[in-house]
Amino acid sequence: MSLLAVRTVEKPWGRDQLPAPFMAPYGKRIGEIWFEPIEEVCSLLVKYIFTSEKLSVQVHPDDAQAKDLGEYDTGKEECWLVIDAEPGATLGIGFHEPIGPEAMRAAALDGSIEDLLVWHPVQAGDFFYIPAGTVHAIGAGVSLIEIQQNSDITYRLYDYGRPRPLHLDKGIAVAKGEPYAAALHRHLSPTGTVELARGPYFTAHRVEGVPDAALLTEYAGPMLVLPRRGEVELGGHVLRPGECAAAPAASAITFTPESQSILVRAA
């Protein structure tokens, strides 16, 4: 068992008050809680994100695009599980109408790209799969869990006038100027075991209580476990919400009927 180290990341759009069990250090605006990847599951990164302002309008490349653009990292495919949202909170994902590269560049330069995105109202339990190339922005007042390829490549297309560089050439080169597929978004009930994601890079499930035999077979190799409610035990260590650990297999974890956990493995 390896309990993953936690990295607390300050962001201008972060919060000075975080939902339990997290606490922001005095005077700090925390936007992300990272669980540092380790060798056994080095291709995966899991993090919590907390927003008080909108994040930039951005896009990530896939593996082939990252290589073609000379990046020294993989592409970035990700998914989001909203765990809390203030009234009126939204996520901007995809465009209302198809848009070409030059029109997208012009909209990024004059800021109108923000209005061309579809802003989805969200609440706890909303789940979104975000393929590489999807133009997106996380709105204010959202808390979510992000599961992603372990890559830090982000191309900002628009940043609301903040003094940070944009990456228009690379961003426009990889961006899909199209609406977001409705099938990639769904709302989950608060309880129950459900498959979250099954993509080219990772598989994830939310597990209520003790996983059945099929899930134990699904997670028979190196994986991550993220408790969401109650406790689970791994290697003599009790894991609680706010922690994440790497396990050799789901069968090595002692689940309780009262627990709810997220399991993630590389594809």
Side-chain angles (χ1 to χ4, degrees):
M1 188 280 293
S2 296
L3 184 65
L4 270 58
V6 174
R7 186 198 305 181
T8 303
V9 183
E10 287 188 79
K11 294 288 186 179
W13 41 259
R15 298 186 197 169
D16 55 11
Q17 292 187 335
L18 303 180
F22 302 107
M23 291 186 64
Y26 180 76
K28 306 288 187 182
R29 293 173 64 85
I30 303 305
E32 299 180 353
I33 303 287
W34 290 33
F35 297 103
E36 298 281 11
I38 61 173
E39 183 176 355
E40 294 90 331
V41 282
C42 61
S43 66
L44 299 174
L45 176 63
V46 176
K47 64 176 76 164
Y48 285 85
I49 296 178
F50 312 104
T51 70
S52 62
E53 302 173 11
K54 287 180 179 178
L55 276 64
S56 62
V57 177
Q58 57 188 243
V59 67
H60 312 296
D62 62 24
D63 286 359
Q65 291 167 333
K67 183 178 180 180
D68 290 345
L69 290 169
E71 303 286 3
Y72 294 95
D73 210 341
T74 66
K76 182 177 175 183
E77 195 135 307
E78 61 194 353
C79 63
W80 301 330
L81 175 61
V82 178
I83 58 174
D84 191 36
E86 296 176 4
T90 57
L91 299 173
I93 313 173
F95 295 94
H96 284 282
E97 303 288 344
I99 182 173
E102 292 310 312
M104 191 186 303
R105 179 185 294 272
L109 288 170
D110 68 17
S112 62
I113 192 170
E114 181 182 3
D115 297 322
L116 298 179
L117 292 177
V118 177
W119 290 89
H120 303 259
V122 294
Q123 59 182 308
D126 281 330
F127 177 82
F128 297 82
Y129 193 91
I130 310 295
T134 304
V135 178
H136 61 274
I138 298 175
V142 178
S143 298
L144 59 80
I145 295 170
E146 179 174 285
I147 301 168
Q148 60 162 95
Q149 286 180 271
N150 182 19
S151 170
D152 201 28
I153 302 176
T154 294
Y155 299 144
R156 281 189 294 271
L157 300 176
Y158 177 65
D159 202 25
Y160 316 99
R162 296 181 184 123
R164 298 191 296 177
L166 301 179
H167 315 94
L168 292 183
D169 289 343
K170 290 183 175 180
I172 298 298
V174 306
K176 298 174 181 176
E178 59 190 39
Y180 178 66
L184 299 177
H185 165 223
R186 56 207 157 97
H187 182 75
L188 311 180
S189 65
T191 60
T193 295
V194 61
E195 180 177 288
L196 297 175
R198 185 179 298 275
Y201 303 105
F202 53 80
T203 294
H205 285 75
R206 188 191 69 188
V207 178
E208 192 76 23
V210 180
D212 61 18
L215 272 178
L216 292 177
T217 299
E218 178 87 57
Y219 290 88
M223 53 164 290
L224 297 176
V225 56
L226 185 85
R228 289 291 302 139
R229 188 183 68 242
E231 300 175 347
V232 301
E233 185 176 332
L234 177 60
H237 182 88
V238 175
L239 294 172
R240 299 178 175 88
E243 297 181 309
C244 183
S251 59
I253 304 168
T254 302
F255 297 86
T256 63
E258 300 78 21
S259 66
Q260 186 184 88
S261 309
I262 292 177
L263 310 184
V264 188
R265 66 168 177 83

